[in-house]
Amino acid sequence: MSPDLQPGFRFEWSYTVPARATVPQLYHDTDFCRDMPDVLATGYMVGMMELACLHGMMPFMDWPREQSVGTMVHFSHFAPTPPGMTLAVKGEVLEVEGRRVRFRVEAWDGVERICEGTHERHVIDPVRFNAKVAAKAAAGAGAA
């Protein structure tokens, strides 16, 4: 990761909410969720906030040899957003400590602010990371 990524760096990202991101669609295999309002699911929104932060980091990383994974989320979801609306996500780097980067992020849906919070990511070496995941999967398969 480039040392140029510093606290105070700001970024923006936009994303149009697809129908698959609504509560009834995302959780289509859960009976009671199919009856819920057709609005952006909080879980999917959290993913969009993560992707916005990753997108903001990308110019400072040696992609794909360096990647990042989310390690902490703390978001408030204020308002419903129907599919088809475009989220405008704005973020700021709050802290960089080694390979850990902490962000403040908020999202607007064109009508109102729908989300705000903080997010943390760690830069990883995907080769080493994937080796650890494979070892864990093998250990888990042996335990079954």
Side-chain angles (χ1 to χ4, degrees):
M1 180 173 60
S2 168
D4 293 337
L5 182 60
Q6 293 291 318
F9 174 72
R10 295 175 186 265
F11 57 90
E12 294 186 19
W13 190 61
S14 63
Y15 184 83
T16 301
V17 176
R20 72 177 183 275
T22 65
V23 176
Q25 295 297 314
L26 187 62
Y27 306 110
H28 60 86
D29 57 349
T30 305
D31 289 339
F32 59 86
C33 288
R34 287 190 292 244
D35 296 329
M36 293 183 72
D38 195 32
V39 295
L40 175 63
T42 301
Y44 200 94
M45 181 202 69
V46 167
M48 294 305 90
M49 301 302 100
E50 286 196 81
L51 288 180
C53 292
L54 174 57
H55 185 263
M57 291 177 71
M58 296 262 320
F60 302 95
M61 295 191 321
D62 182 17
W63 191 272
R65 286 178 289 210
E66 282 184 314
Q67 295 180 15
S68 78
V69 293
T71 56
M72 187 276 299
V73 293
H74 185 258
F75 295 114
S76 295
H77 192 174
F78 303 123
T81 301
M85 294 189 83
T86 299
L87 300 181
V89 184
K90 297 178 182 183
E92 178 181 359
V93 173
L94 296 176
E95 182 180 5
V96 179
E97 184 177 291
R99 296 182 156 270
R100 183 179 63 84
V101 183
R102 192 166 56 93
F103 302 89
R104 182 183 63 75
V105 192
E106 64 182 19
W108 299 74
D109 67 9
V111 173
E112 61 190 331
R113 184 174 62 149
I114 67 154
C115 172
E116 75 174 10
T118 56
H119 177 48
E120 190 172 280
R121 301 191 68 77
H122 278 77
V123 175
I124 62 161
D125 172 343
V127 173
R128 286 181 48 216
F129 188 88
N130 289 333
K132 288 179 183 178
V133 171
K136 187 174 189 175

